[in-house]
Each structure stands twice: as C-alpha cells, then as structure tokens.
Amino acid sequence: GTLSVGPAGPLRFTVWAFSPPSLALAVDMGEGGRLPLQFHPTMRSPVYEYAGASRLRFMDAETGEVVAEADIPAEWQRVLLIFAPTPGSVARWRYQILVVDDSAEGLPKGTIRVLNRSGWTLRGAVNGQARELPPGLSPALASSGAVDLQLRFALRGRWWQSHASQFELGAEQRALLVVLPPYYPGSPEVQVRRLVDSPP
C-alpha cells in the first residue's frame, strides 16, 4: 500500500531508542537514496519527512542490510518510532519498532502518556490520581505544572514501590513516559525515560 499524501503533506516522524543503536541507521527513501537517522538519549530526534510506501524500511547505513520495518497507519501524519531490541537471536529483524501517534491529537499539550514496557502491570499515581497501567500505551492523562509520579507493582499479594519522581511540565508541553524493566534483574526499580516536547 501507499501513504495517502493529501493536503497535510508527507509523513513526519521522529525516532528514539531504548538504548542508542550500535550501528548507524538510515531510512530507505527509494529513489531518493538513504536518509541517515540521529538518535538522542533523552529526547526525540529531529523531525524527518517521508513520502512513499506505508511500510518504512530501516537499514544499516553502511551495508544496506534491512534491520527493521514499521507499518504506519495511512491516516497518521506525525509519528514517533521507538526502536526496541528484538528479544532472542532467531528474530527476523534486529529491532522491533513501536509506532506511536505523535500528533497534537494523539498526545495533546498538558498531558502525559505512559508506555509500559516493564513486563508488569503497574499501579500508578500522577499527582495523586490513581491509574492502572497495564503493558502498552496508556490514554493521555491531563497534567501540567509540578508532576509527581509514583509507580508500584504487585508481588506475593503486596504492592511494592517501583519508581518515584517529580518533574515540571509546562502548559504548552507534553510528556511520554517510557517504563522499561529494571536495570538489574530482580530489582523492583523500573527504569523511566521521559520524553518532553511541545506538540507539533
């Protein structure tokens, strides 16, 4: 299939990775050649534009080997592509790509969304408002100003503290909180990466 490129123009996308990719990555732009990608540890990449097939192919910038693919819903005009290492060595692709609607409607200003990749169902509190956070992407939660984030998980019938942090979110800003498994296996402390920007 092809992207429906209407008045809104080409697909605009940014990239981010759980940990910086070990090799230089580029997007296959078809006849336009390869578009090299930049990854930043604590923020989205610059905005890239793409007009072509609805499946994006990502390759090793040096060898041209395809290492990941992402299917973009045709109606989405602005996405964040999150690169996660593929579990196991038998997988076809080196990276699994999570596609997030990164438009002003998908993640409005003054809101927070949580992408729970910890492997646990978490119980969260954002400024005292209780939230159940199953694996996956949460709905947008209204929040701005001083944000107090608390996360807990259940083990043997008890809820244990898993993360606590405070940060400022401006009225024109939004935040995507990516929750990753503990750095040390067996630890209750999940890792939280915070991507803050202003809606496009």
mmCIF file of all heavy atoms in Angstrom, residues 110-157:
data_model
loop_
_atom_site.group_PDB
_atom_site.id
_atom_site.type_symbol
_atom_site.label_atom_id
_atom_site.label_comp_id
_atom_site.label_asym_id
_atom_site.label_seq_id
_atom_site.Cartn_x
_atom_site.Cartn_y
_atom_site.Cartn_z
ATOM 1 N N GLY A 110 -0.131 19.571 27.702
ATOM 2 C CA GLY A 110 -0.686 19.446 29.048
ATOM 3 C C GLY A 110 -1.128 18.043 29.399
ATOM 4 O O GLY A 110 -1.978 17.847 30.270
ATOM 5 N N THR A 111 -0.569 17.031 28.711
ATOM 6 C CA THR A 111 -0.925 15.640 29.019
ATOM 7 C C THR A 111 0.331 14.775 29.112
ATOM 8 O O THR A 111 1.407 15.147 28.642
ATOM 9 C CB THR A 111 -1.869 15.013 27.973
ATOM 10 O OG1 THR A 111 -1.173 14.877 26.729
ATOM 11 C CG2 THR A 111 -3.133 15.834 27.785
ATOM 12 N N ILE A 112 0.133 13.624 29.726
ATOM 13 C CA ILE A 112 1.170 12.602 29.860
ATOM 14 C C ILE A 112 0.595 11.290 29.351
ATOM 15 O O ILE A 112 -0.573 10.974 29.618
ATOM 16 C CB ILE A 112 1.573 12.442 31.349
ATOM 17 C CG1 ILE A 112 2.304 13.681 31.848
ATOM 18 C CG2 ILE A 112 2.414 11.196 31.576
ATOM 19 C CD1 ILE A 112 2.502 13.678 33.351
ATOM 20 N N ARG A 113 1.408 10.541 28.591
ATOM 21 C CA ARG A 113 1.057 9.148 28.278
ATOM 22 C C ARG A 113 2.185 8.268 28.789
ATOM 23 O O ARG A 113 3.359 8.662 28.760
ATOM 24 C CB ARG A 113 0.861 8.923 26.778
ATOM 25 C CG ARG A 113 -0.344 9.651 26.210
ATOM 26 C CD ARG A 113 -0.592 9.299 24.756
ATOM 27 N NE ARG A 113 -1.340 8.044 24.620
ATOM 28 C CZ ARG A 113 -1.718 7.537 23.454
ATOM 29 N NH1 ARG A 113 -1.403 8.149 22.329
ATOM 30 N NH2 ARG A 113 -2.390 6.405 23.407
ATOM 31 N N VAL A 114 1.823 7.076 29.254
ATOM 32 C CA VAL A 114 2.801 6.125 29.770
ATOM 33 C C VAL A 114 2.870 4.931 28.829
ATOM 34 O O VAL A 114 1.846 4.311 28.529
ATOM 35 C CB VAL A 114 2.429 5.657 31.197
ATOM 36 C CG1 VAL A 114 3.439 4.636 31.710
ATOM 37 C CG2 VAL A 114 2.343 6.856 32.150
ATOM 38 N N LEU A 115 4.071 4.636 28.346
ATOM 39 C CA LEU A 115 4.304 3.421 27.555
ATOM 40 C C LEU A 115 4.965 2.419 28.487
ATOM 41 O O LEU A 115 6.145 2.543 28.817
ATOM 42 C CB LEU A 115 5.191 3.723 26.349
ATOM 43 C CG LEU A 115 5.588 2.508 25.497
ATOM 44 C CD1 LEU A 115 4.372 1.798 24.933
ATOM 45 C CD2 LEU A 115 6.539 2.922 24.376
ATOM 46 N N ASN A 116 4.179 1.449 28.948
ATOM 47 C CA ASN A 116 4.668 0.480 29.936
ATOM 48 C C ASN A 116 5.274 -0.728 29.228
ATOM 49 O O ASN A 116 4.566 -1.557 28.686
ATOM 50 C CB ASN A 116 3.513 0.056 30.844
ATOM 51 C CG ASN A 116 3.949 -0.946 31.905
ATOM 52 O OD1 ASN A 116 5.133 -1.255 32.044
ATOM 53 N ND2 ASN A 116 2.992 -1.457 32.657
ATOM 54 N N ARG A 117 6.607 -0.804 29.256
ATOM 55 C CA ARG A 117 7.324 -1.947 28.688
ATOM 56 C C ARG A 117 8.072 -2.705 29.781
ATOM 57 O O ARG A 117 9.047 -3.401 29.515
ATOM 58 C CB ARG A 117 8.313 -1.458 27.632
ATOM 59 C CG ARG A 117 7.665 -0.819 26.420
ATOM 60 C CD ARG A 117 7.140 -1.843 25.457
ATOM 61 N NE ARG A 117 8.220 -2.617 24.861
ATOM 62 C CZ ARG A 117 8.073 -3.510 23.884
ATOM 63 N NH1 ARG A 117 6.871 -3.728 23.392
ATOM 64 N NH2 ARG A 117 9.088 -4.164 23.384
ATOM 65 N N SER A 118 7.625 -2.564 31.014
ATOM 66 C CA SER A 118 8.326 -3.190 32.145
ATOM 67 C C SER A 118 8.082 -4.688 32.228
ATOM 68 O O SER A 118 8.852 -5.418 32.855
ATOM 69 C CB SER A 118 7.872 -2.543 33.462
ATOM 70 O OG SER A 118 6.513 -2.879 33.733
ATOM 71 N N GLY A 119 6.978 -5.154 31.601
ATOM 72 C CA GLY A 119 6.604 -6.556 31.744
ATOM 73 C C GLY A 119 5.627 -6.783 32.889
ATOM 74 O O GLY A 119 5.121 -7.890 33.064
ATOM 75 N N TRP A 120 5.372 -5.769 33.688
ATOM 76 C CA TRP A 120 4.434 -5.864 34.810
ATOM 77 C C TRP A 120 3.248 -4.952 34.564
ATOM 78 O O TRP A 120 3.361 -3.940 33.886
ATOM 79 C CB TRP A 120 5.095 -5.406 36.121
ATOM 80 C CG TRP A 120 6.287 -6.176 36.551
ATOM 81 C CD1 TRP A 120 6.530 -7.507 36.350
ATOM 82 C CD2 TRP A 120 7.437 -5.666 37.240
ATOM 83 N NE1 TRP A 120 7.743 -7.850 36.887
ATOM 84 C CE2 TRP A 120 8.326 -6.751 37.437
ATOM 85 C CE3 TRP A 120 7.796 -4.407 37.726
ATOM 86 C CZ2 TRP A 120 9.550 -6.613 38.095
ATOM 87 C CZ3 TRP A 120 9.005 -4.261 38.379
ATOM 88 C CH2 TRP A 120 9.877 -5.356 38.567
ATOM 89 N N THR A 121 2.101 -5.317 35.162
ATOM 90 C CA THR A 121 1.010 -4.350 35.282
ATOM 91 C C THR A 121 1.341 -3.472 36.474
ATOM 92 O O THR A 121 1.559 -3.974 37.581
ATOM 93 C CB THR A 121 -0.342 -5.055 35.477
ATOM 94 O OG1 THR A 121 -0.698 -5.728 34.266
ATOM 95 C CG2 THR A 121 -1.440 -4.045 35.800
ATOM 96 N N LEU A 122 1.407 -2.190 36.249
ATOM 97 C CA LEU A 122 1.782 -1.257 37.297
ATOM 98 C C LEU A 122 0.563 -0.508 37.791
ATOM 99 O O LEU A 122 -0.406 -0.304 37.061
ATOM 100 C CB LEU A 122 2.824 -0.250 36.775
ATOM 101 C CG LEU A 122 4.142 -0.857 36.295
ATOM 102 C CD1 LEU A 122 4.977 0.195 35.591
ATOM 103 C CD2 LEU A 122 4.918 -1.448 37.464
ATOM 104 N N ARG A 123 0.622 -0.109 39.032
ATOM 105 C CA ARG A 123 -0.383 0.795 39.576
ATOM 106 C C ARG A 123 0.323 2.131 39.743
ATOM 107 O O ARG A 123 1.355 2.219 40.412
ATOM 108 C CB ARG A 123 -0.890 0.264 40.922
ATOM 109 C CG ARG A 123 -2.034 1.074 41.501
ATOM 110 C CD ARG A 123 -2.617 0.378 42.724
ATOM 111 N NE ARG A 123 -3.429 -0.794 42.369
ATOM 112 C CZ ARG A 123 -4.002 -1.593 43.261
ATOM 113 N NH1 ARG A 123 -3.802 -1.392 44.552
ATOM 114 N NH2 ARG A 123 -4.729 -2.617 42.862
ATOM 115 N N GLY A 124 -0.198 3.156 39.110
ATOM 116 C CA GLY A 124 0.478 4.442 39.123
ATOM 117 C C GLY A 124 -0.354 5.506 39.775
ATOM 118 O O GLY A 124 -1.572 5.382 39.913
ATOM 119 N N ALA A 125 0.319 6.578 40.178
ATOM 120 C CA ALA A 125 -0.366 7.775 40.654
ATOM 121 C C ALA A 125 0.335 8.961 40.020
ATOM 122 O O ALA A 125 1.550 9.101 40.127
ATOM 123 C CB ALA A 125 -0.338 7.866 42.170
ATOM 124 N N VAL A 126 -0.443 9.789 39.321
ATOM 125 C CA VAL A 126 0.065 11.035 38.750
ATOM 126 C C VAL A 126 -0.617 12.165 39.492
ATOM 127 O O VAL A 126 -1.831 12.330 39.400
ATOM 128 C CB VAL A 126 -0.234 11.119 37.240
ATOM 129 C CG1 VAL A 126 0.284 12.424 36.668
ATOM 130 C CG2 VAL A 126 0.395 9.938 36.499
ATOM 131 N N ASN A 127 0.178 12.897 40.286
ATOM 132 C CA ASN A 127 -0.367 13.957 41.147
ATOM 133 C C ASN A 127 -1.541 13.444 41.995
ATOM 134 O O ASN A 127 -2.562 14.107 42.148
ATOM 135 C CB ASN A 127 -0.791 15.171 40.315
ATOM 136 C CG ASN A 127 0.395 15.918 39.744
ATOM 137 O OD1 ASN A 127 1.530 15.675 40.141
ATOM 138 N ND2 ASN A 127 0.153 16.814 38.815
ATOM 139 N N GLY A 128 -1.363 12.227 42.517
ATOM 140 C CA GLY A 128 -2.364 11.665 43.419
ATOM 141 C C GLY A 128 -3.522 10.964 42.738
ATOM 142 O O GLY A 128 -4.310 10.291 43.399
ATOM 143 N N GLN A 129 -3.650 11.097 41.410
ATOM 144 C CA GLN A 129 -4.726 10.400 40.696
ATOM 145 C C GLN A 129 -4.279 8.977 40.384
ATOM 146 O O GLN A 129 -3.301 8.780 39.673
ATOM 147 C CB GLN A 129 -5.060 11.132 39.395
ATOM 148 C CG GLN A 129 -5.623 12.524 39.586
ATOM 149 C CD GLN A 129 -5.976 13.173 38.252
ATOM 150 O OE1 GLN A 129 -6.447 12.508 37.343
ATOM 151 N NE2 GLN A 129 -5.728 14.473 38.135
ATOM 152 N N ALA A 130 -5.006 7.998 40.917
ATOM 153 C CA ALA A 130 -4.619 6.593 40.743
ATOM 154 C C ALA A 130 -4.902 6.134 39.321
ATOM 155 O O ALA A 130 -5.927 6.483 38.722
ATOM 156 C CB ALA A 130 -5.376 5.725 41.739
ATOM 157 N N ARG A 131 -3.973 5.363 38.782
ATOM 158 C CA ARG A 131 -4.110 4.820 37.426
ATOM 159 C C ARG A 131 -3.618 3.385 37.401
ATOM 160 O O ARG A 131 -2.589 3.070 37.988
ATOM 161 C CB ARG A 131 -3.263 5.622 36.424
ATOM 162 C CG ARG A 131 -3.638 7.079 36.304
ATOM 163 C CD ARG A 131 -4.916 7.239 35.508
ATOM 164 N NE ARG A 131 -5.325 8.650 35.454
ATOM 165 C CZ ARG A 131 -6.421 9.078 34.838
ATOM 166 N NH1 ARG A 131 -7.190 8.225 34.212
ATOM 167 N NH2 ARG A 131 -6.737 10.352 34.840
ATOM 168 N N GLU A 132 -4.359 2.535 36.716
ATOM 169 C CA GLU A 132 -3.878 1.177 36.419
ATOM 170 C C GLU A 132 -3.122 1.267 35.099
ATOM 171 O O GLU A 132 -3.645 1.813 34.121
ATOM 172 C CB GLU A 132 -5.054 0.223 36.304
ATOM 173 C CG GLU A 132 -4.672 -1.241 36.388
ATOM 174 C CD GLU A 132 -4.536 -1.739 37.823
ATOM 175 O OE1 GLU A 132 -4.834 -0.989 38.765
ATOM 176 O OE2 GLU A 132 -4.129 -2.903 37.983
ATOM 177 N N LEU A 133 -1.893 0.748 35.066
ATOM 178 C CA LEU A 133 -1.059 0.871 33.870
ATOM 179 C C LEU A 133 -0.653 -0.514 33.388
ATOM 180 O O LEU A 133 0.435 -1.013 33.696
ATOM 181 C CB LEU A 133 0.179 1.725 34.173
ATOM 182 C CG LEU A 133 -0.114 3.171 34.608
ATOM 183 C CD1 LEU A 133 1.150 3.839 35.108
ATOM 184 C CD2 LEU A 133 -0.725 3.959 33.458
ATOM 185 N N PRO A 134 -1.523 -1.188 32.616
ATOM 186 C CA PRO A 134 -1.145 -2.481 32.052
ATOM 187 C C PRO A 134 -0.069 -2.289 30.990
ATOM 188 O O PRO A 134 0.197 -1.155 30.571
ATOM 189 C CB PRO A 134 -2.448 -2.990 31.440
ATOM 190 C CG PRO A 134 -3.246 -1.764 31.157
ATOM 191 C CD PRO A 134 -2.861 -0.764 32.201
ATOM 192 N N PRO A 135 0.569 -3.373 30.546
ATOM 193 C CA PRO A 135 1.558 -3.243 29.476
ATOM 194 C C PRO A 135 0.948 -2.550 28.250
ATOM 195 O O PRO A 135 -0.213 -2.773 27.915
ATOM 196 C CB PRO A 135 1.943 -4.689 29.169
ATOM 197 C CG PRO A 135 1.710 -5.408 30.462
ATOM 198 C CD PRO A 135 0.497 -4.758 31.067
ATOM 199 N N GLY A 136 1.726 -1.704 27.608
ATOM 200 C CA GLY A 136 1.249 -0.980 26.444
ATOM 201 C C GLY A 136 1.182 0.509 26.722
ATOM 202 O O GLY A 136 1.792 1.017 27.665
ATOM 203 N N LEU A 137 0.404 1.214 25.893
ATOM 204 C CA LEU A 137 0.337 2.670 25.924
ATOM 205 C C LEU A 137 -0.927 3.126 26.625
ATOM 206 O O LEU A 137 -2.028 2.698 26.270
ATOM 207 C CB LEU A 137 0.377 3.207 24.487
ATOM 208 C CG LEU A 137 0.583 4.700 24.278
ATOM 209 C CD1 LEU A 137 1.935 5.168 24.821
ATOM 210 C CD2 LEU A 137 0.491 5.024 22.782
ATOM 211 N N SER A 138 -0.773 3.990 27.610
ATOM 212 C CA SER A 138 -1.934 4.480 28.357
ATOM 213 C C SER A 138 -2.650 5.570 27.568
ATOM 214 O O SER A 138 -2.083 6.164 26.652
ATOM 215 C CB SER A 138 -1.476 5.059 29.705
ATOM 216 O OG SER A 138 -0.931 6.367 29.518
ATOM 217 N N PRO A 139 -3.902 5.868 27.936
ATOM 218 C CA PRO A 139 -4.548 7.057 27.388
ATOM 219 C C PRO A 139 -3.794 8.305 27.856
ATOM 220 O O PRO A 139 -2.990 8.245 28.790
ATOM 221 C CB PRO A 139 -5.964 7.016 27.984
ATOM 222 C CG PRO A 139 -6.125 5.639 28.539
ATOM 223 C CD PRO A 139 -4.764 5.135 28.870
ATOM 224 N N ALA A 140 -4.068 9.443 27.229
ATOM 225 C CA ALA A 140 -3.451 10.703 27.650
ATOM 226 C C ALA A 140 -4.058 11.134 28.986
ATOM 227 O O ALA A 140 -5.282 11.161 29.148
ATOM 228 C CB ALA A 140 -3.680 11.768 26.581
ATOM 229 N N LEU A 141 -3.189 11.465 29.949
ATOM 230 C CA LEU A 141 -3.626 11.896 31.274
ATOM 231 C C LEU A 141 -3.343 13.388 31.397
ATOM 232 O O LEU A 141 -2.203 13.823 31.213
ATOM 233 C CB LEU A 141 -2.857 11.142 32.364
ATOM 234 C CG LEU A 141 -2.696 9.622 32.195
ATOM 235 C CD1 LEU A 141 -1.760 9.059 33.249
ATOM 236 C CD2 LEU A 141 -4.056 8.946 32.264
ATOM 237 N N ALA A 142 -4.368 14.173 31.722
ATOM 238 C CA ALA A 142 -4.176 15.618 31.849
ATOM 239 C C ALA A 142 -3.259 15.913 33.026
ATOM 240 O O ALA A 142 -3.490 15.444 34.140
ATOM 241 C CB ALA A 142 -5.526 16.307 32.033
ATOM 242 N N SER A 143 -2.206 16.678 32.776
ATOM 243 C CA SER A 143 -1.275 17.023 33.847
ATOM 244 C C SER A 143 -0.308 18.079 33.351
ATOM 245 O O SER A 143 0.219 17.989 32.246
ATOM 246 C CB SER A 143 -0.485 15.778 34.290
ATOM 247 O OG SER A 143 0.180 16.024 35.501
ATOM 248 N N SER A 144 -0.091 19.105 34.166
ATOM 249 C CA SER A 144 0.940 20.099 33.848
ATOM 250 C C SER A 144 1.358 20.765 35.151
ATOM 251 O O SER A 144 0.758 20.553 36.199
ATOM 252 C CB SER A 144 0.426 21.130 32.839
ATOM 253 O OG SER A 144 -0.632 21.886 33.387
ATOM 254 N N GLY A 145 2.412 21.559 35.061
ATOM 255 C CA GLY A 145 2.968 22.140 36.272
ATOM 256 C C GLY A 145 3.886 21.149 36.952
ATOM 257 O O GLY A 145 4.613 20.390 36.299
ATOM 258 N N ALA A 146 3.840 21.129 38.282
ATOM 259 C CA ALA A 146 4.668 20.183 39.033
ATOM 260 C C ALA A 146 4.006 18.809 38.989
ATOM 261 O O ALA A 146 2.852 18.651 39.395
ATOM 262 C CB ALA A 146 4.819 20.648 40.481
ATOM 263 N N VAL A 147 4.719 17.821 38.455
ATOM 264 C CA VAL A 147 4.168 16.470 38.301
ATOM 265 C C VAL A 147 4.867 15.536 39.289
ATOM 266 O O VAL A 147 6.095 15.494 39.364
ATOM 267 C CB VAL A 147 4.360 15.958 36.861
ATOM 268 C CG1 VAL A 147 3.821 14.540 36.726
ATOM 269 C CG2 VAL A 147 3.676 16.874 35.866
ATOM 270 N N ASP A 148 4.061 14.811 40.048
ATOM 271 C CA ASP A 148 4.577 13.809 40.990
ATOM 272 C C ASP A 148 4.145 12.439 40.476
ATOM 273 O O ASP A 148 2.955 12.155 40.377
ATOM 274 C CB ASP A 148 4.012 14.072 42.390
ATOM 275 C CG ASP A 148 4.477 13.023 43.402
ATOM 276 O OD1 ASP A 148 5.601 12.516 43.267
ATOM 277 O OD2 ASP A 148 3.695 12.708 44.322
ATOM 278 N N LEU A 149 5.128 11.611 40.121
ATOM 279 C CA LEU A 149 4.847 10.291 39.535
ATOM 280 C C LEU A 149 5.246 9.195 40.515
ATOM 281 O O LEU A 149 6.379 9.170 41.006
ATOM 282 C CB LEU A 149 5.620 10.129 38.221
ATOM 283 C CG LEU A 149 5.550 8.762 37.541
ATOM 284 C CD1 LEU A 149 4.147 8.503 36.999
ATOM 285 C CD2 LEU A 149 6.576 8.665 36.419
ATOM 286 N N GLN A 150 4.317 8.281 40.800
ATOM 287 C CA GLN A 150 4.582 7.131 41.670
ATOM 288 C C GLN A 150 4.153 5.866 40.927
ATOM 289 O O GLN A 150 3.058 5.828 40.366
ATOM 290 C CB GLN A 150 3.777 7.233 42.975
ATOM 291 C CG GLN A 150 3.925 8.541 43.728
ATOM 292 C CD GLN A 150 5.185 8.593 44.574
ATOM 293 O OE1 GLN A 150 5.742 7.555 44.929
ATOM 294 N NE2 GLN A 150 5.638 9.804 44.879
ATOM 295 N N LEU A 151 4.998 4.834 40.930
ATOM 296 C CA LEU A 151 4.652 3.564 40.295
ATOM 297 C C LEU A 151 4.875 2.425 41.278
ATOM 298 O O LEU A 151 5.882 2.406 42.006
ATOM 299 C CB LEU A 151 5.511 3.331 39.037
ATOM 300 C CG LEU A 151 5.370 4.337 37.890
ATOM 301 C CD1 LEU A 151 6.361 4.011 36.778
ATOM 302 C CD2 LEU A 151 3.948 4.344 37.338
ATOM 303 N N ARG A 152 3.938 1.472 41.288
ATOM 304 C CA ARG A 152 4.060 0.298 42.164
ATOM 305 C C ARG A 152 3.711 -0.958 41.361
ATOM 306 O O ARG A 152 3.000 -0.885 40.370
ATOM 307 C CB ARG A 152 3.115 0.409 43.371
ATOM 308 C CG ARG A 152 3.484 1.527 44.331
ATOM 309 C CD ARG A 152 2.482 1.654 45.481
ATOM 310 N NE ARG A 152 2.945 2.600 46.465
ATOM 311 C CZ ARG A 152 2.891 3.921 46.329
ATOM 312 N NH1 ARG A 152 2.352 4.439 45.233
ATOM 313 N NH2 ARG A 152 3.332 4.723 47.269
ATOM 314 N N PHE A 153 4.229 -2.109 41.828
ATOM 315 C CA PHE A 153 3.847 -3.369 41.194
ATOM 316 C C PHE A 153 3.525 -4.388 42.277
ATOM 317 O O PHE A 153 3.948 -4.255 43.429
ATOM 318 C CB PHE A 153 4.966 -3.872 40.264
ATOM 319 C CG PHE A 153 6.137 -4.502 40.971
ATOM 320 C CD1 PHE A 153 6.306 -5.874 40.984
ATOM 321 C CD2 PHE A 153 7.069 -3.711 41.636
ATOM 322 C CE1 PHE A 153 7.381 -6.451 41.631
ATOM 323 C CE2 PHE A 153 8.155 -4.274 42.283
ATOM 324 C CZ PHE A 153 8.309 -5.652 42.285
ATOM 325 N N ALA A 154 2.753 -5.411 41.888
ATOM 326 C CA ALA A 154 2.284 -6.413 42.855
ATOM 327 C C ALA A 154 3.213 -7.618 42.853
ATOM 328 O O ALA A 154 3.609 -8.110 41.794
ATOM 329 C CB ALA A 154 0.861 -6.845 42.515
ATOM 330 N N LEU A 155 3.542 -8.085 44.038
ATOM 331 C CA LEU A 155 4.337 -9.304 44.189
ATOM 332 C C LEU A 155 3.914 -9.988 45.478
ATOM 333 O O LEU A 155 3.938 -9.364 46.552
ATOM 334 C CB LEU A 155 5.836 -8.969 44.234
ATOM 335 C CG LEU A 155 6.789 -10.165 44.380
ATOM 336 C CD1 LEU A 155 6.717 -11.060 43.149
ATOM 337 C CD2 LEU A 155 8.218 -9.683 44.601
ATOM 338 N N ARG A 156 3.514 -11.253 45.344
ATOM 339 C CA ARG A 156 3.087 -12.061 46.509
ATOM 340 C C ARG A 156 2.044 -11.320 47.351
ATOM 341 O O ARG A 156 2.152 -11.225 48.571
ATOM 342 C CB ARG A 156 4.295 -12.441 47.362
ATOM 343 C CG ARG A 156 5.232 -13.426 46.653
ATOM 344 C CD ARG A 156 6.219 -14.042 47.628
ATOM 345 N NE ARG A 156 7.256 -13.116 48.015
ATOM 346 C CZ ARG A 156 8.396 -12.928 47.326
ATOM 347 N NH1 ARG A 156 8.620 -13.605 46.217
ATOM 348 N NH2 ARG A 156 9.305 -12.064 47.755
ATOM 349 N N GLY A 157 1.062 -10.727 46.651
ATOM 350 C CA GLY A 157 -0.057 -10.118 47.351
ATOM 351 C C GLY A 157 0.207 -8.736 47.928
ATOM 352 O O GLY A 157 -0.667 -8.182 48.605
#
